[in-house]
Amino acid sequence: MAEVFKLGDLVWAKMKGFSPWPGRVSNPSKDLKKPANAKKSAVQCIFFFGTNNYAWIEESNIKPYHEYKDTLIKSNKSGAFKDAVEAIEDFIAKGEVFEDGLDPDSLFDRLKEDSIIVEKKTPKIKLRKETPKTRRSDSSGGEGRRSAKKQRRESSTSNSNRDTLESVSPSLNHSSSPRKSASTLLDRPANIARPVTPPLDVETLSQTLKEKNILPSTLKFGFLGLGIMGSGIVKNLINSGHSVIVWNRTQEKCTDFVKAGAEQGLTPSDVVLAADITFSCVADPQAAKDMVFGNCGVLMEISPDKGYVEMTGIDAETSQDIAEAINAKGGRYLEAQVQGSKTQAQEGTLVILAAGDRSLFDECQSCFEAMGKNSFYLGEVGNASKMNLVLQLMAGVTLAGLAESMALADRAGLQQKDVLEVLELTSLACPAVLDKGKAIIEGGFPTQLPLQHMQKDLRLSLGMSDQLEQPLPLAAAANEVYKHAKRLGYGEHDASAVYIRARF
């Protein structure tokens, strides 16, 4: 007998191309339309824990959460899956009420507003100044006869009051002596607001792009994702004369690119339909899969005359899964991982690591010239992802080491600018280390490469090491440091914000 699900039920739901995932039967978000060919009783809208995505799932692919919990938890060991299970278990333990109809961004904004209201209602602690009592003196010198125990107690009270006073005005300036920060149990600073990202000047050509003198391809190119890397890449595609159609989850981000000459697609499938070759550059492996297998996704319009290029930082297994799906419909697939940051993306000086269909690599050459200073073809699908993770592991461990070194210098009473000045004269000097060192000293951590992306790459590197049984003790330790910094609220700051965890 078929299961009957109602609004609010906790379930396991399976999308094509994914393992069963913990979710909840929900009302659809405002932008999620029911598939035109779906029968009313045949599908349910599912909110997926961990990813905070919604999707229409056929009831045959939905199972009750508690009944299948023990079996399905054992079947998936990925970090994202464990986070999703933890999220649904927290939901159950706290007896939370999820407000259906709110998309994840609106829900987050509401939670943020609630936290601000709570903070305003919290009474401030006022320090009461103690008036010392007049002591009775005696001929034996009563003041001098106070017990050592009492002196220690008064000294401890004095230190406590001084710490409380210092906590009223937390500081992150790097002085020679350690200072108390926010009035919390863990002696850590108040969260530093992420610096406002200046708007990207889409229509102005960079000097680097002018010097390249690129002959643009006559093909039409789609681009999915206008995030911190994607926006810089698309800017250079447009300004080098390529015909581009763009899509982004937040449609407002497309406006400036449309003004500069791009077209806009309403869905990823619309972009694929209109373009000869479509690039994708989104947040992580899960988002990359959603782009391909999700509602109105890439796979709906892939055909033998279409090419798909995955630029998202992903693992080899995810890339191979996407390649199989694209190839099964006759399309061509290329993974093109990028080495570089926001600045290199905007200047067109990235390094592109590609693998997969060689003919597609050749057809994308004019695009790769606009994006970067060099491109490499590494053979079969998966090789580029592996190469990228190897390089990201080096970068992540190096940055964690830099953060700890700068924290040690500060604690030892050394001036951090002096450390960087000396470092610049040694064989350790390189642009990446010097740039991150300056970001640590300035303390604002403007985002070049988000900390959460660096931690994601370290996690994927560790996953690859598990499969190959290659020990990575330094990477494992660095990953924990980044995870903690992310937990403290620095995931969207630059990766150099790992310094906060190293110092505090």
Side-chain angles (χ1 to χ4, degrees):
M1 183 177 177
E3 297 282 352
V4 178
F5 298 100
K6 63 181 185 298
L7 190 66
D9 283 350
L10 299 180
V11 297
W12 294 99
K14 187 180 187 314
M15 290 181 65
K16 182 179 179 181
F18 295 86
S19 302
W21 205 265
R24 179 179 184 275
V25 179
S26 303
N27 286 323
S29 59
K30 58 187 178 184
D31 57 347
L32 185 65
K33 306 299 182 184
K34 182 178 287 191
N37 59 349
K39 295 179 182 179
K40 186 174 181 181
S41 60
V43 295
Q44 293 283 356
C45 176
I46 304 298
F47 168 82
F48 289 99
F49 287 90
T51 65
N52 292 349
N53 291 328
Y54 293 85
W56 291 103
I57 305 295
E58 294 181 4
E59 289 191 345
S60 60
N61 290 325
I62 303 174
K63 302 294 181 185
Y65 177 75
H66 292 289
E67 183 178 343
Y68 291 85
K69 173 181 171 182
D70 293 338
T71 303
L72 292 177
I73 285 179
K74 294 177 183 177
S75 66
N76 193 329
K77 302 295 184 183
S78 73
F81 179 79
K82 290 178 181 177
D83 290 343
V85 171
E86 183 179 342
I88 193 172
E89 289 297 324
D90 285 347
F91 181 90
I92 295 169
K94 295 176 182 177
E96 296 182 27
V97 177
F98 189 89
E99 297 192 46
D100 293 294
L102 279 180
D103 60 278
D105 292 337
S106 301
L107 185 61
F108 177 78
D109 291 339
R110 177 168 294 186
L111 292 172
K112 186 166 63 175
E113 290 170 4
D114 291 345
S115 67
I116 293 172
I117 293 171
V118 170
E119 186 177 339
K120 287 180 178 179
K121 289 182 178 180
T122 304
K124 294 182 178 179
I125 299 173
K126 294 183 178 180
L127 299 178
R128 185 179 63 187
K129 187 174 181 180
E130 297 281 351
T131 304
K133 296 180 180 179
T134 304
R135 293 186 178 88
R136 186 189 307 170
S137 60
D138 56 32
S139 58
S140 303
E143 187 66 28
R145 291 207 314 265
R146 285 185 301 161
S147 68
K149 183 176 180 181
K150 184 175 182 182
Q151 289 180 20
R152 285 196 300 271
R153 186 167 62 247
E154 290 180 355
S155 174
S156 174
T157 303
S158 175
N159 289 337
S160 175
N161 288 340
R162 182 170 66 252
D163 290 348
T164 306
L165 283 166
E166 287 177 346
S167 75
V168 172
S169 179
S171 173
L172 273 178
N173 58 352
H174 309 296
S175 60
S176 59
S177 59
R179 304 184 65 169
K180 292 288 180 182
S181 51
S183 53
T184 69
L185 294 174
L186 296 179
D187 187 23
R188 60 175 71 128
N191 189 270
I192 301 172
R194 185 160 61 104
V196 177
T197 303
L200 179 64
D201 185 359
V202 177
E203 300 184 43
T204 301
L205 276 72
S206 69
Q207 185 61 35
T208 304
L209 191 61
K210 289 179 183 178
E211 294 171 357
K212 290 181 179 180
N213 194 26
I214 297 167
L215 179 64
S217 169
T218 57
L219 298 174
K220 189 169 187 177
F221 297 91
F223 205 97
L224 309 175
L226 297 174
I228 195 167
M229 298 295 286
S231 58
I233 291 172
V234 173
K235 171 182 182 288
N236 288 318
L237 287 177
I238 295 171
N239 290 333
S240 58
H242 289 86
S243 176
V244 184
I245 176 170
V246 297
W247 175 89
N248 192 71
R249 184 175 63 86
T250 306
Q251 294 186 9
E252 290 76 12
K253 282 190 176 182
C254 298
T255 304
D256 290 340
F257 296 94
V258 172
K259 289 179 181 177
E263 298 177 39
Q264 180 179 355
L266 294 179
T267 67
S269 59
D270 290 337
V271 173
V272 174
L273 180 63
D276 298 300
I277 297 172
T278 302
F279 293 90
S280 173
C281 186
V282 290
D284 52 38
Q286 183 67 44
K289 281 189 172 182
D290 290 344
M291 201 61 56
V292 175
F293 298 104
N295 290 322
C296 300
V298 168
L299 210 55
M300 290 181 64
E301 298 296 344
I302 285 291
S303 59
D305 60 339
K306 304 290 184 183
Y308 188 68
V309 184
E310 184 59 80
M311 304 191 80
T312 306
I314 56 178
D315 55 288
E317 289 70 28
T318 297
S319 188
Q320 288 159 357
D321 288 345
I322 294 173
E324 288 175 7
I326 298 295
N327 294 336
K329 295 199 69 175
R332 294 176 297 157
Y333 175 79
L334 185 76
E335 57 176 7
Q337 305 287 278
V338 293
Q339 277 289 306
S341 64
K342 172 186 174 184
T343 299
Q344 283 78 56
Q346 293 179 2
E347 292 178 351
T349 56
L350 297 168
V351 175
I352 292 95
L353 309 170
D357 191 291
R358 181 63 198 237
S359 65
L360 187 52
F361 175 77
D362 293 336
E363 289 177 17
C364 291
Q365 275 306 298
S366 65
C367 295
F368 291 156
E369 285 182 50
M371 298 175 192
K373 57 186 176 182
N374 215 331
S375 60
F376 297 87
Y377 179 75
L378 301 175
E380 65 182 17
V381 172
N383 286 349
S385 296
K386 292 173 184 176
M387 177 70 81
N388 185 58
L389 291 179
V390 167
L391 295 172
Q392 288 300 92
L393 186 151
M394 292 184 197
V397 173
T398 299
L399 180 52
L402 173 66
E404 288 194 354
S405 299
M406 296 293 266
L408 178 62
D410 184 55
R411 192 72 70 178
L414 300 174
Q415 292 293 320
Q416 291 179 336
K417 62 180 181 62
D418 293 342
V419 173
L420 208 60
E421 187 175 344
V422 173
L423 176 64
E424 196 168 359
L425 301 175
T426 71
S427 59
L428 292 173
C430 69
V433 170
L434 296 177
D435 287 346
K436 297 306 182 188
K438 290 175 183 176
I440 287 171
I441 292 173
E442 292 167 1
F445 311 113
T447 307
Q448 289 291 324
L449 173 67
L451 184 145
Q452 60 191 4
H453 289 185
M454 181 65 82
Q455 191 271 319
K456 175 261 299 180
D457 289 337
L458 284 173
R459 174 172 54 80
L460 295 178
S461 300
L462 291 169
M464 184 167 74
S465 76
D466 284 344
Q467 294 176 355
L468 300 174
E469 297 185 353
Q470 170 63 43
L472 296 180
L474 295 181
N479 184 48
E480 293 304 313
V481 177
Y482 282 97
K483 280 165 60 178
H484 200 164
K486 182 179 170 184
R487 186 100 181 202
L488 293 177
Y490 292 92
E492 294 185 354
H493 291 64
D494 187 71
S496 55
V498 71
Y499 171 78
I500 294 295
R501 175 59 186 89
R503 187 179 189 280
F504 296 94

